[in-house]
Amino acid sequence: MEGYVESIATGLIAGRNAAALAQGREPRLFPAETALGSLCRYISSADPGNYQPANITFDVLPALEEETRHRLRHDRRARHGEVCRRALAALESQLA
């Protein structure tokens, strides 16, 4: 990871999941639609030979559905807003 916030956040996730495993509980993964989930997915699936540390960007998050992407193709702010809305919905459903 690159960046203080990203490094601290992914370290927190690793620590919480290590504690869960030590207590016999399942680790909790963040959904890929969230910033933390997508960073963890990026780290765990990167090619070790070509790995590049990364900060969170919209490019690391999963792409929007084709219909939504097409509908919002001329409005970057709206696309980013939809990615954020989707991330919050995914996080809320996991925490519920």
Side-chain angles (χ1 to χ4, degrees), residues 17-89:
N17 284 333
L21 289 171
Q23 296 171 354
R25 294 182 290 120
E26 289 292 316
R28 290 186 71 176
L29 304 176
F30 280 76
E33 294 82 11
T34 66
L36 293 176
S38 65
L39 283 173
C40 290
R41 185 185 62 184
Y42 173 75
I43 292 168
S44 62
S45 65
D47 175 15
N50 296 314
Y51 179 75
Q52 294 293 314
N55 295 82
I56 185 61
T57 66
F58 282 98
D59 293 333
V60 178
L61 294 159
L64 291 170
E65 298 76 24
E66 182 64 33
E67 178 184 324
T68 303
R69 208 169 51 227
H70 180 72
R71 180 173 44 86
L72 301 174
R73 70 184 176 276
H74 298 298
D75 190 347
R76 181 174 58 166
R77 184 177 224 174
R79 282 193 314 273
H80 288 179
E82 181 60 23
V83 169
C84 293
R85 184 209 58 76
R86 182 183 66 177
L88 288 171

